[in-house]
Amino acid sequence: MSKNPKKALLEVDHLNVSIKAEKRLLHPVRGVSFSVDKGQRVCLVGESGCGKTVTAFSILRLLSEDRFDVKGQISFDQKDILALPHEEMRKIRGKEIGMVFQEPMTALNPVLSIGFQITEAITAHRDVSSQEAKDQALSIMGKVGLPDPELIYNQYPHQLSGGLRQRVMIAMALSCRPKLLIADEPTTALDVTIQAQILELICDLSRHMDLALLLISHNLGVVARVAQHVIVMYAGSIVEDAPARKLFARPCHPYTKGLLASVPYGEAMKKRRLSSIPGRVPALDEIPEGCSFSDRCTFSMDICKKKRPLLRLLGDGHRVACHFPRCNTHE
């Protein structure tokens, strides 16, 4: 979390999202609060179904108002996102907040050229001529490492590899030089070598453009390469967040420990077998009354099943939602 007395670039305060399902409400996001400072790289991590993407879509107001009810406060650059008229929100999407979606083949329009899709994003937010838009598109295509931008400019998504399509998505998201980039699983379905290239690219662009980054991932190995601050979500809530170095060196929540133990990270992982977390993330209509992780936790006690733990500060920006945090153990 931000220690800066000034306002953070992005502030999410007690975000609650409900889905209107028949005669009941389901809650994919419950009481989520965090901030992202200008130029800071923050990662939201957790298994699929933990509420990460719904949180990101809430920030961009991409959730259907017919199905989703969003409560709480979201402030971006001191603007109240949830109170903005739709026309004002459209000006922020793409111009001030860029989004890299999880699967570029479905996010890109298959019948429009790469150049058209990037220039469309530029002309939607900037008063430039078609030639100026093309020049800016070719420039950002070069910055994201697309080989021969002039050639790719006239090609179509199906003519590119997965890695190149992901670079196109990043180029589109950065074409108007936003203040914040939200990247939702940007390395999904890419091989390990290309994953490393995309992550290195995102980090370099964040530093060189003074760009704030909110990266969504289920892989703590990926997060370790990028994050300055890590937020761990489970069943719609934050269970732990801390500066990245503190979290990897001293995780306190059993879920965070389980995630770390299940990926190859650091020298310690070379000395023992990888483990797995038993069970699965509960469905939205199965979330326990107490701690949402209690059914999968090997340290669960009676109070864990009855009372939901509150997110509390342990010190130095490290917060955890656990009745019995195990910060000094390595089980």
Side-chain angles (χ1 to χ4, degrees):
M1 300 291 287
S2 170
K3 296 180 181 179
N4 196 325
K6 297 181 180 179
K7 287 284 186 179
L9 178 65
L10 173 70
E11 291 186 293
V12 177
D13 188 24
H14 290 92
L15 177 65
N16 288 276
V17 180
S18 302
I19 300 176
K20 302 167 186 176
E22 298 178 351
K23 297 182 180 180
R24 58 182 175 173
L25 289 179
L26 303 178
H27 305 279
V29 174
R30 304 180 297 152
V32 167
S33 300
F34 65 90
S35 64
V36 182
D37 287 335
K38 180 181 178 182
Q40 186 183 26
R41 299 189 301 277
V42 175
C43 290
L44 275 178
V45 66
E47 294 167 279
S48 296
C50 284
K52 308 182 300 299
T53 297
V54 174
T55 298
F57 277 29
S58 299
I59 294 168
L60 285 164
R61 278 179 53 185
L62 291 175
L63 299 175
S64 168
E65 293 182 2
D66 293 335
R67 293 194 60 214
F68 293 87
D69 184 30
V70 180
K71 301 293 186 184
Q73 290 186 320
I74 302 174
S75 173
F76 173 75
D77 203 16
Q78 301 188 45
K79 301 182 186 76
D80 186 352
I81 289 290
L82 298 182
L84 286 178
H86 288 285
E87 187 62 33
E88 291 298 314
M89 192 62 214
R90 280 194 290 269
K91 294 178 182 178
I92 289 177
R93 291 192 208 103
K95 183 179 181 181
E96 298 187 52
I97 304 177
M99 178 79 184
V100 179
F101 294 93
Q102 185 170 144
E103 178 45 65
M105 198 57 190
T106 57
L108 292 170
N109 192 320
V111 300
L112 298 176
S113 69
I114 297 300
F116 181 89
Q117 295 187 64
I118 298 177
T119 55
E120 184 181 39
I122 295 171
T123 56
H125 297 290
R126 291 183 174 180
D127 184 17
V128 296
S129 67
S130 57
Q131 184 58 51
E132 288 173 325
K134 180 177 180 179
D135 292 341
Q136 291 177 20
L138 291 172
S139 175
I140 193 65
M141 289 169 72
K143 288 179 180 178
V144 300
L146 284 165
D148 200 347
E150 288 276 3
L151 174 63
I152 293 177
Y153 186 91
N154 295 304
Q155 290 184 320
Y156 291 82
H158 73 273
Q159 295 177 285
L160 305 180
S161 67
L164 291 182
R165 286 195 294 266
Q166 196 61 277
R167 289 175 187 268
V168 168
M169 287 293 300
I170 295 172
M172 290 177 62
L174 298 180
S175 60
C176 292
R177 298 187 67 86
K179 299 174 183 177
L180 170 67
L181 176 67
I182 300 176
D184 186 5
E185 301 278 10
T187 58
T188 297
L190 300 178
D191 64 52
V192 175
T193 301
I194 303 301
Q195 281 187 22
Q197 293 175 5
I198 295 297
L199 291 171
E200 183 178 357
L201 169 65
I202 290 174
C203 284
D204 286 345
L205 290 169
S206 175
R207 286 190 289 265
H208 295 154
M209 298 175 69
D210 197 21
L211 175 72
L213 172 67
L214 180 61
L215 174 70
I216 297 169
S217 181
H218 64 274
N219 187 337
L220 275 173
V222 167
V223 169
R225 292 173 174 264
V226 177
Q228 294 172 317
H229 195 96
V230 180
I231 301 168
V232 183
M233 289 189 68
Y234 185 78
S237 300
I238 294 175
V239 296
E240 185 165 10
D241 78 44
R245 289 186 178 180
K246 288 184 178 293
L247 185 130
F248 285 108
R250 192 170 174 259
C252 293
H253 197 282
Y255 181 59
T256 308
K257 289 176 175 288
L259 290 178
L260 281 169
S262 65
V263 295
Y265 170 78
E267 291 298 318
M269 290 300 177
K270 297 178 181 180
K271 300 176 182 178
R272 62 179 175 83
R273 293 173 62 89
L274 296 179
S275 62
S276 61
I277 304 174
R280 60 174 176 82
V281 178
L284 294 180
D285 58 352
E286 298 175 347
I287 296 177
E289 177 184 355
C291 174
S292 56
F293 189 62
S294 60
D295 290 345
R296 304 175 72 187
C297 182
T298 55
F299 308 108
S300 178
M301 298 187 184
D302 287 343
I303 190 174
C304 302
K305 298 183 182 299
K306 298 175 182 177
K307 183 178 180 181
R308 183 181 176 187
L310 299 177
L311 195 63
R312 55 193 172 105
L313 184 66
L314 299 180
D316 296 326
H318 194 154
R319 301 187 303 166
V320 64
C322 182
H323 292 300
F324 307 102
R326 306 177 66 82
C327 303
N328 297 316
T329 60
H330 299 279
E331 295 95 331

